[in-house]
Amino acid sequence: MIRSRFDSLSLPTQQLLSGATAGIGVLLVAVAAGVIGGTEAAAAAVVGAMCTSIVDIPDPPDFKPPGFIAATVFGGLITLAIDLSIDYPVLTAVIVGATSFVAAMVTAYGRTTLPLCMAMILAMVFALGTHNPGAVDWTLEPLQRAALVAAGGAGYAVYGMIAAYLLEVRYKRLALIDAMQAFAAYIRCKGQLYDPDSELDATYRVLIERQVALMEKVQTARNLALRHLSDARHRRMAAALSLLIDAFESVLSSQADFWMLRRHYGKSAVLPAIRDGAGAIADLMMEFADEIRSGKPSHSAELLKARWAEIAALAADAAPASDDAAEAERARLELNAVIVRLSNSLDLVLRLQRAMRDKAEAEAVLRRINPAAFLPHRPYRWRVLLRQLRWRSPVLRYALRLTAAMLCAFAVAELMTHFFAHGSWILLTVAVIMRASYSTTKQRQKDRLIGNLLGCVVAAVALHLLHDLVLLALIFISIGIAHAYAAVRYRITAVAGAVMALLMLHFLNPMQENGLIERLLDTGIGSLIAFVFSFMLPSWERQSLQDRIRDMLRANRQYAHQTLRLNQQEQTYRLARKAAFDSIGEFAGMIRRISDEPGARQHDLDLLFRFMAANYRLTALLAALLLMLRRRRAELPPVETDKRLAAASLRLRWLLGGGDRAEPVSEAEPLSPSAGPAAAALERRLREAEVIARQIHDMAAQIRTSDTAAQLRKVRVAKA
């Protein structure tokens, strides 16, 4: 547990590499501008470089130019507009509002454009800060300053593109390592389900959180590892990622009736042995991640294969604790299936190792798939923005909410000019706290307050103890740290940002002594404004609940359709699998956000979690069915099996809300017991899938009823 708490602080990680790259880039721009144009030129160029560095996130090199260009152009234009209007507060307010609105609307293109939104806001805040009462009296003309800001952004953009190409392999490697570590954490948690002493419901919650974290890491790795596959190193990493997802599917398919296993094998040594064996697979994955990082070979896994053979022998000798022969046989088959699937995941992990070490193995993996089909598209088209120009759009509501909050912050800063030398800090606090999601806004408000308090303490100690040259270096270190943790742990970013701002203030205006207190007061005022305006035109997460439910059911229908057939098309199946796995992660994130919203009720949240857990069990069971069909296909009668799978697929489609008819789809005729043990096992799994799908069907109806009742309560309260 201690290790997981500090994983984001350990070296190396994508975020810290990205932060170090950004810090060095800003430093180089500052030095170059200072040598060429002096202190004022360096200060202006650094602003442009910092704004452009915000969009320099771990991404493929060909994704970076649009963000770099937009940040550079907007940085220069916003600076020019603020400088020209600064003597006319009403006109400046119009520019503040327009910039805030456009910056928020940019988020319509997705999470990847959030950095551009912040780059625009930061350019505006820096431009306003240049004209604070306590600021240095600069001699640059507006056009000169804007040109230098744009030049600093362009200089960083050139540096950023060079760094992106030079570090592409490194970023891919780190993304793969992060995904492998998340997979190890998932396997370890999965093993806890076989521990007779663990609490099942609590472990399930943690397991789904681990899956969400894993899918986020896998998506990041996909974006990087599945591009530019001309080089053998790149192809090996792409193959390793593909096998990692296959191994995850195999572990997912080891889902079992844990209550039954504990009832029959709770007093034997086999369940603790499975738990420890799963932990050993996790240890092997961590060792191999270290091998990819350091080049030090991991230990041989032959002993681990022997260990799983011993677990299989232990299971064969263990007798189910039941007098019912049928129940005992079912428990025995369930236990054996778990061992086979976890052993299969070990084989896939070993194949992953071979793919990273052997070009031929990697090529064999990549021949099965088209990597480009798994990459996200980023269509920066005008119609994406135009679709958001409707009253119910969460993006438009966020844009209006942020604009109103920023205008309020600007008005407060103008009214308190005589008391605050850096009123622009209030605007910055509002901008970094307010998000489209109330839950994120609430968390960032807390992180901002705590982070600024800690940052002020660090800055005070540094100013008292350190030489100016060290303080100057600390500014650029703080820039790198703030950049590294912006999307990971915002509290650390807030600490680093406070240190950077206060140290820059020290160099720009050494005579000012109340910077620490003012920073805290500005943060408090900005946090209060952000909190108040978070209730303006709210777009609550629960308002999109039914859409998210439909998305998850649709993904599971497609996954079931691709799974329940004897002949799967590999590419189509993998895309359906990706959508099903991703939908669970998105739904889990939605539940977390709903839990932070006002009026959230625990029994509603419990229902949502049970609904998500049922969908998780269904995807796990479908994964198990796929593996069964592939491993035991020769034992199944083809005609009868095809007919039964088609009927099961139609039945599941209706239960999951995708039927073409209003009336229920009747249950299909089961496979004949005379078809053999493989057919009997298949029939049992299909029946289990139908039972879970029925539970999902009933819970979806219950959620709709509860959601409608909640809406009616809100209407009655509004009328009263």
Side-chain angles (χ1 to χ4, degrees), residues 333-495:
L333 292 174
E334 192 87 3
L335 182 65
N336 290 337
V338 164
I339 293 172
V340 167
R341 289 166 195 150
L342 288 175
S343 298
N344 183 62
S345 69
L346 174 60
D347 292 337
L348 289 166
V349 170
L350 298 178
R351 193 179 178 196
L352 186 157
Q353 288 181 315
R354 292 196 300 272
M356 279 299 294
R357 296 168 178 171
D358 180 36
K359 178 181 177 181
E361 185 71 32
E363 292 301 325
V365 173
L366 292 180
R367 275 196 294 269
R368 300 181 300 161
I369 62 172
N370 173 22
F374 297 90
L375 295 173
H377 299 288
R378 297 187 181 179
Y380 299 118
R381 300 188 179 95
W382 283 107
R383 65 170 176 264
V384 175
L385 283 177
L386 295 176
R387 281 200 297 265
Q388 302 303 322
L389 297 179
R390 51 188 177 83
W391 186 245
R392 300 294 297 176
S393 165
V395 176
L396 178 62
R397 286 176 166 243
Y398 168 56
L400 294 173
R401 190 161 59 246
L402 178 63
T403 301
M406 293 292 283
L407 287 173
C408 179
F410 176 74
V412 170
E414 285 292 303
L415 290 172
M416 303 184 72
T417 302
H418 298 295
F419 305 98
F420 291 94
H422 299 86
S424 57
W425 284 349
I426 300 176
L427 281 82
L428 180 60
T429 297
V430 171
V432 298
I433 287 178
M434 286 205 73
R435 287 292 180 267
S437 161
Y438 174 85
S439 172
T440 308
T441 298
K442 181 179 176 182
Q443 181 60 46
R444 288 176 81 91
Q445 180 185 37
K446 178 181 177 182
D447 289 341
R448 180 75 174 175
L449 289 169
I450 295 174
N452 269 282
L453 177 60
L454 294 175
C456 287
V457 172
V458 172
V461 172
L463 287 169
H464 182 69
L465 297 178
L466 301 179
H467 188 274
D468 277 359
L469 285 177
V470 180
L471 293 176
L472 191 61
L474 189 56
I475 290 176
F476 294 100
I477 293 173
S478 298
I479 291 173
I481 293 175
H483 181 94
Y485 290 100
V488 182
R489 295 183 65 185
Y490 178 69
R491 188 171 300 180
I492 297 176
T493 291
V495 174

Side-chain angles (χ1 to χ4, degrees), residues 39-44 129-131 135-141 145 508:
T39 303
E40 287 192 60
T130 305
H131 301 282
V136 175
D137 186 18
W138 301 110
T139 61
L140 290 172
E141 294 296 323
R145 191 192 323 277
L508 295 175

Side-chain angles (χ1 to χ4, degrees), residues 142-356:
L143 196 58
Q144 289 178 308
R145 191 192 323 277
L148 285 168
V149 168
Y156 184 91
V158 172
Y159 161 84
M161 288 304 302
I162 295 172
Y165 280 107
L166 293 178
L167 296 174
E168 183 178 12
V169 174
R170 180 64 171 167
Y171 274 121
K172 286 187 176 187
R173 186 179 297 118
L174 290 175
L176 180 60
I177 290 170
D178 282 351
M180 292 170 71
Q181 291 174 336
F183 178 53
Y186 175 82
I187 301 174
R188 203 179 304 280
C189 185
K190 184 83 175 198
Q192 291 301 313
L193 290 173
Y194 301 98
D195 185 346
D197 298 326
S198 68
E199 205 280 308
L200 279 176
D201 288 339
T203 305
Y204 255 122
R205 288 178 181 268
V206 176
L207 182 67
I208 293 176
E209 289 178 3
R210 290 282 188 269
Q211 178 174 338
V212 172
L214 171 59
M215 289 297 101
E216 289 175 352
K217 300 292 187 184
V218 165
Q219 186 57 52
T220 301
R222 277 197 194 105
N223 293 344
L224 291 165
L226 299 186
R227 296 179 187 274
H228 305 152
L229 300 182
S230 57
D231 185 270
R233 293 175 300 172
H234 296 247
R235 296 184 69 80
R236 284 198 294 267
M237 285 188 278
L241 178 63
S242 177
L243 289 167
L244 175 68
I245 299 171
D246 288 346
F248 162 70
E249 182 183 45
S250 186
V251 175
L252 177 69
S253 72
S254 67
Q255 187 71 20
D257 187 341
F258 298 106
W259 290 269
M260 181 181 68
L261 290 181
R262 291 185 180 195
R263 187 167 61 250
H264 291 290
Y265 295 100
K267 295 183 179 180
S268 72
V270 65
L271 292 186
I274 293 175
R275 176 202 61 201
D276 295 341
I281 296 176
D283 290 339
L284 176 64
M285 181 59 74
M286 291 297 292
E287 278 191 26
F288 190 53
D290 288 337
E291 176 182 332
I292 295 175
R293 176 190 292 116
S294 64
K296 180 182 177 182
S298 53
H299 292 101
S300 171
E302 293 305 317
L303 291 177
L304 187 52
K305 293 188 69 173
R307 183 173 181 177
W308 275 97
E310 293 173 1
I311 293 173
L314 186 64
D317 293 336
S322 176
D323 295 331
D324 186 333
E327 178 75 7
E329 178 63 13
R330 185 184 171 205
R332 186 185 65 79
L333 292 174
E334 192 87 3
L335 182 65
N336 290 337
V338 164
I339 293 172
V340 167
R341 289 166 195 150
L342 288 175
S343 298
N344 183 62
S345 69
L346 174 60
D347 292 337
L348 289 166
V349 170
L350 298 178
R351 193 179 178 196
L352 186 157
Q353 288 181 315
R354 292 196 300 272
M356 279 299 294

Side-chain angles (χ1 to χ4, degrees), residues 498-674:
V499 172
M500 176 193 68
L502 292 169
L503 293 185
M504 288 179 70
L505 177 62
H506 165 74
F507 284 103
L508 295 175
N509 194 352
M511 300 303 294
Q512 186 170 347
E513 298 178 353
N514 61 341
L516 298 177
I517 297 174
E518 185 180 337
R519 178 78 178 186
L520 292 175
L521 290 175
D522 286 341
T523 299
I525 294 172
S527 297
L528 179 61
I529 292 173
F531 175 75
V532 171
F533 278 89
S534 65
F535 294 95
M536 172 188 166
L537 297 176
S539 181
W540 303 117
E541 195 73 33
R542 56 180 174 264
Q543 292 174 336
S544 60
L545 175 61
Q546 295 303 325
D547 291 337
R548 298 289 79 76
I549 288 175
R550 283 191 288 270
D551 290 344
M552 185 157 65
L553 293 180
R554 184 186 305 113
N556 271 340
R557 287 198 303 272
Q558 291 299 319
Y559 186 46
H561 179 66
Q562 294 300 324
T563 300
L564 299 180
R565 53 178 61 190
L566 284 177
N567 298 297
Q568 291 91 12
Q569 293 183 347
E570 188 73 18
Q571 184 78 6
T572 306
Y573 164 74
R574 286 174 174 270
L575 290 170
R577 180 181 69 179
K578 174 184 178 296
F581 291 171
D582 289 347
S583 69
I584 292 177
E586 292 168 3
F587 199 83
M590 186 199 67
I591 293 177
R592 284 201 299 267
R593 293 189 293 272
I594 288 178
S595 67
D596 287 330
E597 293 181 349
R601 298 182 299 172
Q602 189 58 48
H603 67 274
D604 290 336
L605 295 174
D606 289 341
L607 175 60
L608 291 177
F609 179 81
R610 292 199 305 274
F611 177 75
M612 178 181 64
N615 279 273
Y616 172 86
R617 292 197 302 274
L618 180 62
T619 56
L621 188 54
L622 290 172
L625 275 164
L626 175 75
L627 294 178
M628 177 185 295
L629 290 172
R630 288 181 173 178
R631 293 172 68 91
R632 307 186 69 176
R633 178 175 177 175
E635 304 174 46
L636 296 168
V639 177
E640 293 86 345
T641 301
D642 263 336
K643 183 178 178 180
R644 179 68 180 96
L645 290 175
S649 179
L650 184 62
R651 175 75 171 168
L652 289 182
R653 181 183 177 192
W654 179 80
L655 287 171
L656 297 176
D660 295 329
R661 60 190 80 181
E663 69 275 9
V665 175
S666 59
E667 296 185 18
E669 288 293 326
L671 288 169
S672 171
S674 62

